[in-house]
Amino acid sequence: MTLAKKTAWRLSILTAGLLAAGAAAIWCLLMLRNLSATTREEFEELREIRPIEQRLADAALRLAEGRRAAARELLDQTLSDLREFQLEQEEGYSRLDESHAAVERKLTESTVAAVSDLAKRLGSTDSAVTPEDIGLLSAAQQHVNALIAEFEVAVATVHVRTMHRFENVLIGFVIFFLGLTLVAVVINIAHYRSVIGPLRYIRDGVRALSRGALDTRLAPRGDAEFTDLQGDFNAMAAELQSLYDNLEKRVADQGRRLAVSERLASVGFLAAGVAHEINNPLAIIAGYSESLLRRLQPDSQNGDDQEGWRHDLEIIRDEAFRAKKITTQLLDLSRGGDPTRRLVSMRRVVQDVVGILRGSPLFERVKLIAPVDGEEEMMVRGSEAELKQVVLNLAMNAAQAAPREGGWVELRTRRADDWIELCVLDNGCGMPKETIQHAFEPFFSKRHGSRGTGLGLTISHAIVQRHHGELFAESNGPGCGSSFTIRLPAAEEESK
């Protein structure tokens, strides 16, 4: 049987149970309504008889006083009410039972007869009240009292019946609804298992397929709808496996082609980065070489300045070795290497960089400012060559961004708690927020042509991170200058 048919049968059973419960509730309400009407009928009859009882009591009082006429008038009113009450009994029917109705009619008839005889007797003579008159009145009162007692018994009987039936109805409803609830629970459990079980089975298969187990297949389980779905799943899994096998082969072939292209592209990117980083020391070497050539001219006045020649040659030698170190550091950056660290004075690093930059053509029109505050060495632990490379790169970038007229670059070093901070500031073109967000990404550059490839800041950022420090950029916007701050942990000897 399909899930749809099972669901229809289960819903039909539940609906039939609910309809039966509704019919039983209506039947019980009608029964209780009938008992309530019976009680109300007996109370109405009792309410009508009470004034008759009171008039008979008043008539007895008038007879005892010897007022026959007054007693006769009360008996006439009583007789009229009794006959009206008797007429209502004859025209209506009793909701309680026929025996109760027969007793009521018999008592009413005897009461009417007694009152009628007494009224005739009192009307036929004007003599004094006799014991026989009082006896007749007492008999009428006894009949009325018996009628009242019958009504009270009827009310009590109806009350007992009502409570008994209410208890039976309540117990029946409790049993019925407990049974209906049990049936509903059984139906729901069966429906839950017939739906959730196969769904979980299919879900587990889908999860296994999503994890890459393309050989997953589902055996038929559950109703026809679920077996159809499992068959569609198996067909889809088989098709995916076939596509994946073919795709894996195609990806392997394409991967080999891409590997060749990637190696060629990497060579081009690395060559551009090396050219960018080595350009700085080569420019310095070229500058000092031209200075030496000018000194060697015959008309030069500094031809015998051996100390000056030695100083220039040492700078040329140092920059040549620094160019060699740059290529080593670029390769080390790609390998993620970590050279040996030692104590380095950031004060000395700045001084050496400033000495190198003074002879650079970039700073012929850009003012270089390096204030020296105090005598603290600002010691950090790291590679002196790498730190010089970072500071030199930031200073050269700042000089390129500074205006040709009135431009300046400042190298400012200070201590901030357990950190050594070196700020490179300029009054150049500044940067928008978008440029700051991408400033340290590889190959991101706002300078076009041969002036930059976007590798300098990326390499500097990687070097600072290897020193467990931070490098971040700040700018108030285009035309407001920029600042790059290096934060390095202060060396232990300095922090003590």
Side-chain angles (χ1 to χ4, degrees), residues 33 55 122 127 191 466:
R33 177 188 177 188
R55 289 195 195 96
L122 292 178
S127 60
H191 188 71
R466 286 209 300 266

Side-chain angles (χ1 to χ4, degrees), residues 293-304:
L293 289 174
R294 286 195 297 270
R295 293 180 183 180
L296 291 175
Q297 295 295 328
D299 56 349
S300 174
Q301 298 179 358
N302 298 320
D304 297 332

Side-chain angles (χ1 to χ4, degrees), residues 18-234:
L18 292 176
L19 290 176
I26 294 174
W27 177 78
C28 292
L29 290 175
L30 291 176
M31 182 179 63
L32 292 176
R33 177 188 177 188
N34 183 57
L35 291 174
S36 176
T38 303
T39 304
R40 185 174 68 252
E41 177 185 301
E42 298 300 325
F43 269 115
E44 288 293 332
E45 292 177 345
L46 185 61
R47 186 176 62 82
E48 292 177 4
I49 264 315
R50 286 294 184 185
I52 295 175
E53 179 189 20
Q54 183 62 41
R55 289 195 195 96
L56 289 177
D58 293 341
L61 182 61
R62 300 294 186 275
L63 286 178
E65 294 174 352
R67 299 167 58 186
R68 295 171 62 89
R72 170 64 186 273
E73 183 180 355
L74 288 174
L75 289 175
D76 289 339
Q77 294 178 1
T78 301
L79 185 60
S80 176
D81 291 342
L82 282 172
R83 286 174 176 170
E84 184 178 353
F85 179 73
Q86 187 179 22
L87 182 61
E88 291 177 356
Q89 284 185 325
E90 293 176 353
E91 292 178 351
Y93 68 95
S94 176
R95 294 176 180 270
L96 188 57
D97 53 48
E98 188 59 31
S99 61
H100 169 70
V103 172
E104 285 184 357
R105 286 194 295 268
K106 183 177 180 181
L107 290 174
T108 303
E109 289 175 359
S110 59
T111 304
V112 169
V115 173
S116 177
D117 291 344
L118 181 59
K120 290 179 181 180
R121 183 177 180 82
L122 292 178
S124 62
T125 179
D126 292 334
S127 60
V129 177
T130 64
E132 187 178 356
D133 297 334
I134 294 176
L136 289 173
L137 184 58
S138 297
Q141 286 180 319
Q142 289 176 2
H143 291 312
V144 170
N145 291 334
L147 188 59
I148 291 175
E150 180 66 21
F151 289 147
E152 290 177 347
V153 170
V155 170
T157 302
V158 172
H159 176 71
V160 171
R161 289 183 183 179
T162 302
M163 294 302 298
H164 182 67
R165 291 184 181 180
F166 179 77
E167 290 177 357
N168 291 338
V169 168
L170 182 60
I171 294 173
F173 266 107
V174 170
I175 295 174
F176 180 81
F177 278 108
L178 286 178
L180 184 61
T181 302
L182 180 60
V183 171
V185 170
V186 172
I187 291 176
N188 286 331
I189 292 175
H191 188 71
Y192 178 85
R193 289 180 177 178
S194 63
V195 173
I196 301 302
L199 283 179
R200 287 180 174 173
Y201 179 58
I202 296 173
R203 179 201 64 187
D204 295 339
V206 171
R207 289 182 176 177
L209 187 66
S210 66
R211 289 193 295 267
L214 298 180
D215 57 345
T216 302
R217 299 294 183 271
L218 299 179
R221 182 182 298 181
D223 297 311
E225 290 85 352
F226 292 110
T227 55
D228 292 342
L229 183 59
Q230 291 157 5
D232 294 339
F233 173 86
N234 292 336

